[in-house]
Amino acid sequence: MSREGFHNVTKLVATYKYEFIHLVKHNAQVVRQNVTDLQWLASEAWTAAVVLQTPQLMPYLGGTLGIAIRRGEIPGLREFLLQIRPDLHHNNSYGNSMVRVKPFTVVFAGIVFFLCITSKIVFIIFQVHQFWEFTFQCRFEPAPAGWVEGGGTLCTGQEDLENVNTEFLDISDLRPEYNVYKAVYALAYSLDDVLRCKPGRGPFRGNSCATLQTLEPWQPPRSVCSENCPPGTHMVRRKGEPKCCFDCIPCSEGKINNKSNSLECTSCPDDFWSNQQRDHCVPKKTEFLSYHEPLGFCLTTTSLLGTIICAVVIGIFFYHRRTPIVLANNSELSFQLLLSLKLCFLCSLLFIGRPRMWTCQLRHAAFGISFVLCVSCILVKTMVVLAVFKASKPGGGASLKWFGAMQQRGTILFLTCIQAVICTTWLVSASPTPHKNTQYHNDKIIYECSIGSSVGFGVLLGYIGILAFLSFLIAFLARNLPDSFNEAKLITFSMLIFCAVWVAFVPAYISSPGNHADAVEVFAILASSFGLLVALFGPKCYIILLRPEMNTKKVIMGRGTKS
């Protein structure tokens, strides 16, 4: 064996308990290879072994740190052992010899019985004839042939153990035996308490007492220091006090204990949480933006109300489609804009209710495409207004040929298809999925849709923002057109509301936890949709329904001439 390999072995031996025969062989290798650079840590088995305390081994094992059981004295044990006498009236064949002792107390006899299990005293008690012959150098009858003739003596059983120097009677270093001694006395005192117990003052339920006839191992006496810890708590021993002194600490949130006097609590599974008593796990409460809760109900009602208002405005415009105010404001774009606003109101319903795979994938795609369709209509409408104004000036008729009906439809379709490509790419690369969020509340599961890709969501919102900004910019530049083309002012005001809502949406969405983020997004959708609907179509509906005298070509042209 190499010296390096031997070092590994010695480290292992220094950690675990070896039988002495292996340890002696090992120490012979220590001496032979001159291993002197190790710090030994001895187990209880060979800490005080005399066989290892030799001049030959001291240079190598000197300074060994030993772990030993506390040593103690057992009063009366030596006197009891000195009373041992071999019983000559029973079979004294080797291995079946009997022992005779003078009468002694029951408790001490019990101690000796348990000591026999753990110590060298077992040799004296059950191998008394061998011990006697070895100690006094005699033989019991019938002696071996030639023993007496050779000058040997016969054992009488009355030899005196008092003056015999033998390690078997050395009780100065009792370590495991002392623990047994204390254990037996603890049992004896417990039995004594059972015998002395008076009904009505006992340690068990109802202050009852146990009887020796019905005593069971699971009926220990009540601790005189601390009561039992009930389910839902765990024991924490008090420092510097006996082991029977402990505090009952309630289990922390998310952990339970359904047993009494437990040292620790167990954690609940991921989808469960501890009840108020901390004695069993219950399913976690689930939260999402529901139709049945007040917030979800209000948002749903508002969304349906906006859809109905759009349908009513469409009906009004269709019924009065031949009137000047409808014709003057590009009726086809007006109808497209109203239909897109209706889709915006309806898409908000996808954000309400328990998240599912199809709703998570559809909600943002429907939102993005609907709003791009709406803003594209406004952008084209603004450009048409600007083109018509230029065409009304001398030499400006050529500008209208670039804004015919086909060009308007193509522009709207092209701008909307770009958003459709963005949404498709997002869904294919990192599709939104239902997600159980436990980040904000440990005792609740918040069902939400993870956006999948923050980049995809950011590009979707950014594209809507670019179109909205262009619409606002063009409308702002055209705000001073004559009154007959005053719709540019309405577009400017509507886009100002739209941009303000979505600029405020971004920080509110990021800082909103769980299902509140969905509520913020739905609110932004509804607020911006209502802003566009009221700002763009409110004044027109007012003239159509309440001021029909102003809905004439003469008045409109007169206003334009007067301006």
Side-chain angles (χ1 to χ4, degrees):
M1 181 185 297
S2 64
R3 183 179 179 86
E4 181 180 358
F6 185 76
H7 281 194
N8 294 333
V9 175
T10 55
K11 292 176 183 178
L12 184 64
V13 173
T15 306
Y16 295 98
K17 175 181 177 181
Y18 260 43
E19 295 183 3
F20 265 91
I21 185 171
H22 297 148
L23 189 60
V24 171
K25 293 180 180 179
H26 174 266
N27 288 335
Q29 288 291 328
V30 171
V31 175
R32 188 175 68 83
Q33 298 195 26
N34 192 27
V35 179
T36 58
D37 56 347
L38 295 179
Q39 175 65 55
W40 292 84
L41 181 62
S43 65
E44 182 274 332
W46 58 283
T47 298
V50 180
V51 68
L52 300 179
Q53 299 177 14
T54 63
Q56 182 185 11
L57 293 176
M58 288 307 293
Y60 306 95
L61 302 183
T64 298
L65 299 178
I67 301 175
I69 301 174
R70 177 189 174 187
R71 179 175 58 189
E73 295 183 0
I74 303 178
L77 178 59
R78 178 175 174 80
E79 290 74 14
F80 178 79
L81 294 176
L82 292 177
Q83 298 177 33
I84 294 175
R85 294 290 184 273
D87 193 344
L88 302 180
H89 299 288
H90 290 77
N91 182 11
N92 63 351
S93 59
Y94 294 97
N96 295 298
S97 57
M98 303 296 291
V99 63
R100 174 171 52 85
V101 297
K102 295 181 179 180
F104 211 72
T105 63
V106 175
V107 173
F108 207 88
I111 295 174
V112 173
F113 173 75
F114 284 104
L115 290 177
C116 290
I117 300 175
T118 59
S119 74
K120 60 193 175 183
I121 302 175
V122 68
F123 180 83
I124 304 175
I125 300 298
F126 294 102
Q127 303 292 337
V128 64
H129 282 77
Q130 291 90 324
F131 165 71
W132 208 268
E133 290 180 346
F134 175 78
T135 302
F136 295 104
Q137 294 299 307
C138 61
R139 294 292 185 269
F140 286 98
E141 291 184 333
W147 172 259
V148 177
E149 291 77 2
T153 59
L154 295 176
C155 297
T156 64
Q158 298 302 320
E159 288 81 5
D160 188 7
L161 290 173
E162 182 70 32
N163 299 322
V164 174
N165 185 14
T166 173
E167 64 172 314
F168 295 107
L169 297 177
D170 183 12
I171 60 172
S172 61
D173 191 32
L174 300 178
R175 297 181 185 275
E177 297 85 353
Y178 183 66
N179 283 344
V180 176
Y181 165 76
K182 293 190 295 182
V184 173
Y185 260 95
L187 177 60
Y189 277 115
S190 298
L191 294 175
D192 184 64
D193 289 340
V194 171
L195 295 174
R196 294 175 180 271
C197 181
K198 295 181 180 180
R201 301 178 61 183
F204 301 109
R205 183 176 298 176
N207 295 326
S208 61
C209 296
T211 61
L212 292 178
Q213 290 76 17
T214 60
L215 185 64
E216 299 289 349
W218 57 83
Q219 291 179 324
R222 182 177 57 187
S223 170
V224 296
C225 183
S226 300
E227 298 290 341
N228 292 333
C229 287
T233 64
H234 64 102
M235 298 167 53
V236 177
R237 290 195 173 95
R238 300 173 186 169
K239 294 183 178 180
E241 298 186 26
K243 291 184 178 180
C244 63
C245 297
F246 50 83
D247 294 320
C248 298
I249 306 299
C251 295
S252 58
E253 292 185 347
K255 293 185 177 182
I256 65 160
N257 175 33
N258 53 12
K259 299 179 181 178
S260 299
N261 297 329
S262 181
L263 293 176
E264 59 183 10
C265 302
T266 57
S267 299
C268 291
D270 292 339
D271 292 343
F272 290 81
W273 197 249
S274 57
N275 64 339
Q276 188 174 1
Q277 292 75 25
R278 307 286 197 270
D279 55 4
H280 67 276
C281 295
V282 295
K284 289 182 178 179
K285 295 180 181 179
T286 57
E287 284 190 0
F288 52 88
L289 189 58
S290 173
Y291 295 103
H292 305 292
E293 64 180 25
L295 179 59
F297 179 79
C298 291
L299 294 176
T300 302
T301 303
T302 306
S303 175
L304 295 177
L305 179 62
T307 305
I308 295 173
I309 293 176
C310 283
V312 171
V313 174
I314 290 175
I316 294 173
F317 267 56
F318 182 79
Y319 184 78
H320 298 278
R321 63 187 181 277
R322 304 297 182 186
T323 60
I325 194 169
V326 176
L327 294 174
N329 288 282
N330 199 328
S331 60
E332 182 179 346
L333 284 178
S334 296
F335 284 116
Q336 291 179 358
L337 180 56
L338 285 170
L339 288 173
S340 63
L341 282 174
K342 190 174 182 179
L343 292 176
C344 291
F345 282 114
L346 290 175
C347 77
S348 63
L349 297 177
L350 294 172
F351 293 83
I352 306 173
R354 189 184 186 94
R356 304 183 186 278
M357 180 62 74
W358 69 272
T359 58
C360 289
Q361 294 176 338
L362 187 60
R363 59 169 58 175
H364 286 106
F367 152 71
I369 294 175
S370 299
F371 267 86
V372 165
L373 178 62
C374 177
V375 177
S376 299
C377 291
I378 295 175
L379 177 61
V380 172
K381 195 177 184 69
T382 307
M383 296 173 67
V384 170
V385 170
L386 190 61
V388 170
F389 174 71
K390 289 184 177 181
S392 64
K393 294 183 177 181
S399 60
L400 279 178
K401 68 178 182 179
W402 299 104
F403 292 95
M406 292 299 297
Q407 287 81 0
Q408 295 174 23
R409 298 169 192 155
T411 302
I412 294 173
L413 180 62
F414 175 74
L415 295 176
T416 305
C417 286
I418 294 177
Q419 183 73 306
V421 171
I422 294 174
C423 293
T424 303
T425 304
W426 179 16
L427 294 178
V428 171
S429 61
S431 175
T433 56
H435 172 64
K436 295 180 180 180
N437 190 341
T438 58
Q439 178 182 359
Y440 301 106
H441 303 282
N442 291 327
D443 59 339
K444 298 178 182 178
I445 297 177
I446 298 178
Y447 282 99
E448 61 183 10
C449 289
S450 64
I451 60 176
S453 171
S454 300
V455 175
F457 188 47
V459 173
L460 181 144
L461 290 179
Y463 182 63
I464 297 176
I466 291 174
L467 296 181
F469 179 75
L470 289 176
S471 299
F472 172 76
L473 182 62
I474 295 174
F476 180 78
L477 295 176
R479 70 188 185 281
N480 293 323
L481 293 178
D483 287 347
S484 55
F485 304 101
N486 203 28
E487 192 175 16
K489 293 182 179 180
L490 301 179
I491 294 175
T492 303
F493 181 66
S494 65
M495 296 313 299
L496 183 63
I497 297 175
F498 184 89
C499 294
V501 169
W502 286 102
V503 168
F505 160 78
V506 175
Y509 180 84
I510 295 175
S511 61
S512 298
N515 56 349
H516 295 291
D518 293 336
V520 169
E521 190 165 359
V522 172
F523 179 81
I525 292 173
L526 296 178
S528 57
S529 298
F530 270 110
L532 295 176
L533 179 63
V534 173
L536 292 175
F537 296 97
K540 298 181 181 67
C541 290
Y542 171 76
I543 292 175
I544 292 173
L545 298 176
L546 301 180
R547 301 290 300 274
E549 70 276 7
M550 298 179 62
N551 190 10
T552 61
K553 185 175 181 181
K554 181 179 179 180
V555 172
I556 294 177
M557 296 302 296
R559 290 173 58 194
T561 304
K562 184 178 181 180
S563 300

